[in-house]
């Protein structure tokens, strides 16, 4: 008889291409993963993986097993969400995710106020720029900047996010308002500064390329160059100032989201409404109206 729990090991091995990655994902050692795969193969009477030097490659039977395991995983998480939705008490675990910088600058005080107001809620906060899967209960509530959320999620669009160009105070003091080149810190995943900025300051001098907003902030603080960033970051940093004469630019709006199955769970509603009210009070900061 197949032990259905063995399919979890088959699924994670296929996802990670080997037993080592599956072991890390499942919190066991790789020998346990290999043993559970062998157990599944013996129960099914067929080989599920080709063991190659490059890793574990699913056979045709293995792909069928992976599809079954994925379906079972989806059913399990669906049941988990439905059971959670029956909860009528404002208590229990709650997982919230948001980007690292929004937590650092504005969300941490809101969370501090919330855990004081709702001591029976066991809040965990995941600071990541990755998009966690709410359908898989990797998080219950997500605070995200997005043009439009996935159809499976519901929530509230709070306001537009705007950005500006910032530099440290010395660079701003030295800048001649367009008559001299402006040192610039660019992002690797963006082709360059916004067209409206380049039109006003065509003599930008790229001195550094970064792939992360924290790195850009550090570079701007150090005086390497000016860079664009969200107003809630630049206007709350005492080491930075806006470069005069340059326009604001619009970024993706801010949302508070949850899975449709969880929207009526009291602790989910409590946090979503609490955070939305506190963040709405900061709308001028996000829209660049309170430098």
């Amino acid at each position: 008889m197949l032990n259905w729990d063995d399919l979890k090991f088959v699924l994670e091995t296929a996802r990670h291409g080997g037993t080592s990655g599956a072991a890390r994902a499942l919190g066991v050692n790789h020998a346990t993963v290999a043993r559970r795969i062998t157990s599944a193969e013996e129960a099914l009477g067929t080989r599920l993986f080709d063991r190659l030097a490059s890793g574990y490659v699913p056979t045709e039977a293995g792909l069928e097993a992976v599809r079954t395991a994925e379906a079972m995983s989806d059913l399990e998480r669906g049941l988990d969400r439905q059971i959670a939705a029956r909860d009528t008490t404002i208590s229990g675990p709650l997982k919230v995710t948001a980007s690292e910088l929004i937590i650092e600058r504005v969300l941490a005080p809101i969370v501090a106020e919330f855990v004081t107001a709702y001591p029976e809620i066991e809040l965990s906060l995941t600071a990541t720029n990755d998009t966690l899967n709410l359908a898989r209960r990797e998080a219950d509530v997500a605070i995200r900047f997005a043009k439009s959320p996935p159809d499976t999620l519901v929530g509230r669009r709070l306001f537009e996010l705007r950005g500006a160009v910032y530099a440290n105070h010395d660079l701003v003091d030295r800048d001649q308002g367009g008559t001299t080149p402006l040192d610039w810190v660019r992002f690797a995943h963006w082709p360059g500064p916004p067209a409206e900025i380049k039109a006003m300051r065509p003599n930008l001098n790229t001195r550094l390329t970064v792939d992360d907003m924290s790195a850009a902030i550090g570079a701007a603080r150090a005086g390497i160059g000016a860079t664009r960033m969200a107003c809630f970051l630049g206007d709350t940093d005492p080491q930075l100032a806006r470069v005069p004469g340059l326009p604001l630019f619009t970024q993706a709006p801010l949302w508070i989201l949850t899975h449709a199955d969880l929207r009526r769970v009291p602790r989910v509603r409590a946090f979503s409404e609490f955070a939305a009210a506190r963040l709405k009070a900061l709308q001028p900061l996000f829209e660049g109206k309170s430098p």
Side-chain angles (χ1 to χ4, degrees):
M1 292 289 293
L2 175 66
N3 181 347
W4 290 106
D5 198 45
D6 288 343
L7 288 182
K8 293 180 181 178
F9 294 82
V10 173
L11 176 59
E12 293 301 328
T13 299
R15 284 175 172 170
H16 292 86
T19 57
S20 295
R24 287 192 295 271
L26 294 166
V28 298
N29 60 55
H30 71 277
T32 298
V33 177
R35 177 172 55 80
R36 298 298 289 268
I37 291 173
T38 299
S39 174
E41 289 177 329
E42 291 175 350
L44 294 170
T46 187
R47 190 176 73 259
L48 301 179
F49 291 95
D50 290 324
R51 280 75 163 170
L52 306 179
S54 58
Y56 276 49
V57 178
T59 63
E60 287 298 320
L63 291 174
E64 287 291 339
V66 167
R67 284 191 284 269
T68 298
E70 287 175 335
M72 291 176 61
S73 179
D74 290 342
L75 287 171
E76 180 182 12
R77 291 190 175 96
L79 176 62
D80 184 37
R81 292 194 305 270
Q82 292 168 22
I83 295 300
R86 296 175 180 270
D87 193 347
T88 58
T89 61
I90 305 182
S91 63
L94 179 69
K95 294 177 283 187
V96 176
T97 180
S99 70
E100 297 173 6
L101 287 171
I102 195 172
I103 292 173
E104 177 197 351
R105 297 299 175 87
V106 297
L107 192 59
I110 296 172
V111 168
E113 190 179 353
F114 178 81
V115 296
T116 301
Y118 294 91
E120 298 302 315
I121 293 179
E122 304 160 22
L123 185 64
S124 60
L125 188 60
T126 301
T128 179
N129 294 319
D130 297 334
T131 301
L132 300 186
N133 192 322
L134 272 66
R136 293 180 177 175
R137 297 296 302 279
E138 292 176 344
D140 301 312
V141 179
I143 298 175
R144 291 180 182 169
F145 295 107
K147 291 183 178 179
S148 59
D151 293 339
T152 55
L153 303 183
V154 296
R156 182 176 176 184
R157 181 183 183 278
L158 296 178
F159 39 69
E160 293 281 355
L161 175 68
R162 290 188 174 86
V165 176
Y166 293 86
N168 76 359
H169 294 278
D170 288 342
L171 191 153
V172 170
D173 291 341
R174 294 195 310 269
D175 186 52
Q176 300 298 310
T179 61
T180 59
L182 176 64
D183 290 338
W184 188 257
V185 176
R186 70 176 289 270
F187 287 87
H189 53 283
W190 289 344
E196 61 267 35
I197 293 175
K198 198 165 185 179
M200 300 180 70
R201 298 296 298 266
N203 53 354
L204 293 178
N205 174 34
T206 299
R207 294 195 62 205
L208 180 68
T209 298
V210 298
D211 65 350
D212 174 80
M213 182 56 73
S214 294
I217 293 172
R221 287 173 175 169
I224 295 174
T227 193
R228 62 173 177 168
M229 68 183 70
C231 292
F232 83 90
L233 296 173
D235 289 340
T236 57
D237 193 319
Q239 298 183 54
L240 300 179
R242 293 189 194 182
V243 177
L246 294 177
L248 297 177
F249 55 89
T250 300
Q251 297 180 312
L254 183 65
W255 296 76
I256 294 185
L257 300 166
T258 188
H259 194 278
D261 291 344
L262 300 178
R263 59 185 169 181
R264 293 186 177 87
V265 175
R267 60 183 178 274
V268 172
R269 289 186 62 183
F271 180 84
S272 298
E273 293 174 2
F274 188 97
R278 300 308 189 275
L279 289 168
K280 283 291 287 183
L282 298 173
Q283 183 169 345
L285 174 65
F286 284 91
E287 293 183 339
K289 298 176 181 177
S290 60

